[in-house]
Amino acid sequence: MIEEGSKSSKSMVEKRQLFMEMRAQNFDVIRLSTYRTACKLRFVQKRCNLHLVDVWNMIESFRDNGLSTLDHNAEINVSRLETILSSIFYQLNKRLPTTHQINVEQSIGLLLNFIVATYDSEGHGKLTVFAMKAMLATMCGGKILDKLRYIFSQISDSNGVMVFAKFDQFLREVLKLPTAVFEGPSFGYTEHSVRTCFTQQKKILLNTFLDVLMADPPPQYLVWLPLMHRLANVENVFHPVECSYCRSESMMGFRYRCQQCHGYQLCQSCFWRGHASGPHSNQHQMKEHSSWKSPAKKLSHAISKSLGCMPIGEPPHPVFPEAAERPQDLAHTTNTLESPSRLDEEHRLIARYAARLAAEASNSTQCPPSDLSFNFDANKQQRQLIAELENKNREILQEIQRLRLEHEQASQPTPEKAQQNPTLLAELRLLRHRKDELERRMSALQESRRELMVQLESLMRLLKDEEQKQATGSSPHSSPSHSVSCTMPMPIRSTSAGSTPTHTPQDCLAGVGDDVLDAFSQGVPRNLRNDLLVAADSITNTMSSLVKELHSVDDGLEEEEENMRNGREKVSSLKHSGKRNSTPSF
């Protein structure tokens, strides 16, 4: 009794293991049910190693285990299901290298428990053959096109027309997968599921079936199926772009770009969780990108589009013949390949391809009759491409001619342009005349300043001598003006050329400022040091204002000359560019 209880508890733990691991991934924080369902089913697929089993390997396993000959409604028990899963994963390990071997027992246990929990929730211990085929064909690896072709071969009649009752049964079984990962409210089966995909009045063939299920967007109940395949394709896609919310410097997987906010991009984690920042809102339309195009690729794409050389977009799937396809169970593969007619057909096909390659290698103008239509189509496309390139060439030549005329009109001589603007010339002449006047005034003031500085230096020396005499006790009745007139050196006056120098104080102080004259006009000496400093400051301020005015005039002249020089250089460059563009070569 104890052993049976331990076995049952262990079985319960194994059944819950996959779902516990899935809950630990925290997929429920994804706000969109489509992405949430696709992520959960993708996790189950990878955890059970079903992504390593291609759909054609799965079909081969169905044939090897005798499922191709059983009716869809036939039931198999859990033990036989375990045998089928064992053959699938053991054959997988044979195909994988030794360094990438999987744990077969663990994969079998996880997948078996998931299938039983999904299709035998009531505990009968049995499930139908069609349910197992639909589940394994949907959850295995491979292209979605191959999966849908196999599913159509299982739900169509002998004439290649889809049976609505079988398609309804397929939806009933495949929509149990979202329900098993707790997404039944969004993608559970209802009686209206078939009507949302097809109208029963139409005759549904293979191409129509593929058009509907591979459309963009696909039917609402199956929208998670193509998204699960896109998730598998972008898991290792790298985008060298910074996320506008989490500030991650790169992205892996999907990239989402807002159609309203310029330059706003989100990684798949932030978009799935509804993060937004700044003026961006979750209500804005986002475009999903599954690849990254460098600026160089974008430029080449734009150039090809402008030249009309863009290739025609490929359809979502190849167009298949309307004749009924044989069920894709691979049961007829061996007999067909070994038949003599099949071998003869292959030999003829190889011979035809060899003849085509030989004709192309020798550049022969004569072609086999079977290749006439092919060569005619190729030549027609080449002629169309040449015509388009010639039209573009003519447009480019016309544009070059127009630019050359504009350059010739712009490259007019400078004097004519100057004559068209007499105001500028008048201002330049006025500025030059003002500059000459200021330079002459500057020279005169500099000469006067030099003479005044000599006089001030002499007066300061006399003042110092007078103070020394008073300090040594000289006669207080001596006159300061008399001392100055007797010992002061005679200045040179350049402003009055014919004047005769004398030894009077008035002649010595001629040309000195009013402050200096006042200082020596009194009988009693004042503080001559301060008066002389005030006079020197007034002279310095006058010279500074004059220098600033002269510099402002120089700056104005230099700016005007620089503008004229730039104008001449632009005209010269336009002349040279016009000469270079006048003889284009293609």
Side-chain angles (χ1 to χ4, degrees), residues 212-227:
V212 173
L213 269 66
M214 297 184 67
D216 187 16
Q220 178 61 31
Y221 288 95
L222 295 174
V223 68
W224 51 269
L225 180 59
L227 179 57

Side-chain angles (χ1 to χ4, degrees), residues 111-178:
L111 183 56
L112 180 64
N113 291 326
F114 179 75
I115 294 177
V116 171
T118 303
Y119 294 98
D120 189 26
S121 58
E122 297 180 357
H124 297 303
K126 294 182 179 181
L127 70 159
T128 63
V129 172
F130 185 75
M132 189 194 65
K133 284 185 177 181
M135 183 272 170
L136 292 177
T138 303
M139 294 295 294
C140 68
K143 298 180 180 180
I144 188 173
L145 175 64
D146 297 333
K147 294 181 180 182
L148 294 177
R149 287 184 61 194
Y150 172 73
I151 292 171
F152 185 82
S153 68
Q154 301 297 309
I155 62 175
S156 58
D157 58 13
S158 58
N159 297 321
V161 180
M162 186 187 76
V163 180
F164 279 92
K166 292 184 178 181
F167 179 70
D168 181 75
Q169 184 182 2
F170 165 74
L171 286 181
R172 190 186 301 270
E173 302 297 341
V174 79
L175 291 181
K176 290 180 181 179
L177 293 172

